[in-house]
Amino acid sequence: QSALTQPPSASGSPGQSVTISCTGTSSDIGAYDYVSWYQQHPGKAPKLIIYEVNKRPSGVPDRFSGSKSGNTASLTVSGLQSDDAADYHCASYAGSNRGVFGTGTKVTVL
Amino acid sequence: EVQLVESGGGLVQPGGSLRLSCAASGFNFNKSWMTWVRQAPGKGLDWVANINDNGKQKYYVDSVKGRFTISRDNVRNSVYLQINTLRAEDTAVYYCARDSAYNRLDSWGQGTLVTVSS
């Protein structure tokens, strides 16, 4: 049940794209298409923005997209806006009714 | 509107105990899996425990087994986390969340802060 690995930080200018990776193992990301991503602004609760690798909940802009290859999932934020500056956390179903989160990535909009 | 409201956090000495509560409204609570997630200061999210809709299935991360107990009351629409033998490393904001399927946590509470210190 080790945490999924994310880069500590990522950045981009307004209008640009940023992609965040999330690396797990063949027991979590590699085994299931149940990867989710959460956005968290300072002092706030996390918010679900991607589930089942690439699906967006109602109300989440299509600037947010997800993908997966092998044991690594990725989140891409296109057309960066100032409000996208936040922490982003990946998560995966890990089997046996348990979940696991990533180490978190701080996104800065330059 | 889905609402989750946690309570019960506070300052506690090492070795102490706390019972966290999460009151749910706005959805069919007795058909929903519920999960507790914690976040230590300045750190990422940690999956802690979850419970199925009728309370008969409970799962924990290895690091809290034997010290934490998750439970629920479907009459009171609440889920609980009993935390015993608290350690400094348990200091965190504890969130409850609705798990709509395979760790898809689609609604979160605002969190309750637990601080373990002498």
Side-chain angles (χ1 to χ4, degrees), chain A residues 20-37:
Chain A
I20 303 166
S21 62
C22 172
T23 301
T25 70
S26 58
S27 297
D28 39 62
I29 291 178
Y32 308 99
D33 286 337
Y34 294 122
V35 176
S36 50
W37 289 88

Side-chain angles (χ1 to χ4, degrees), chain A residues 6-26:
Chain A
Q6 298 179 236
S9 63
S11 62
S13 299
Q16 290 187 333
S17 296
V18 64
T19 297
I20 303 166
S21 62
C22 172
T23 301
T25 70
S26 58

Side-chain angles (χ1 to χ4, degrees), chain A residues 37-80:
Chain A
W37 289 88
Y38 302 86
Q39 178 191 60
Q40 185 180 30
H41 287 108
K44 300 295 187 182
K47 172 190 172 185
L48 177 69
I49 56 172
I50 294 287
Y51 66 98
E52 292 177 15
V53 177
N54 56 16
K55 297 178 182 177
R56 284 177 286 106
S58 174
V60 174
D62 59 5
R63 301 186 297 104
F64 294 90
S65 61
S67 62
K68 188 188 95 166
S69 178
N71 297 339
T72 298
S74 298
L75 172 73
T76 298
V77 185
S78 305
L80 269 172

Side-chain angles (χ1 to χ4, degrees), chain B residues 45-103:
Chain B
L45 302 173
D46 285 327
W47 189 95
V48 173
N50 70 358
I51 188 168
N52 78 326
D53 51 0
N54 64 15
K56 292 186 178 180
Q57 297 180 52
K58 305 173 185 182
Y59 301 91
Y60 302 90
V61 66
D62 286 347
S63 59
V64 308
K65 282 180 183 176
R67 294 193 303 123
F68 289 20
T69 302
I70 190 170
S71 62
R72 65 189 296 157
D73 183 336
N74 284 351
V75 173
R76 289 184 165 82
N77 281 2
S78 293
V79 61
Y80 308 100
L81 189 68
Q82 177 70 39
I83 310 176
N84 296 330
T85 321
L86 276 155
R87 307 166 179 167
E89 55 264 36
D90 296 319
T91 293
V93 174
Y94 286 73
Y95 296 99
C96 71
R98 181 178 70 174
D99 184 345
S100 54
Y102 295 103
N103 202 43

Side-chain angles (χ1 to χ4, degrees), chain A residues 78-95:
Chain A
S78 305
L80 269 172
Q81 301 179 0
S82 57
D83 189 53
D84 297 333
D87 292 330
Y88 291 83
H89 308 271
C90 63
S92 177
Y93 180 66

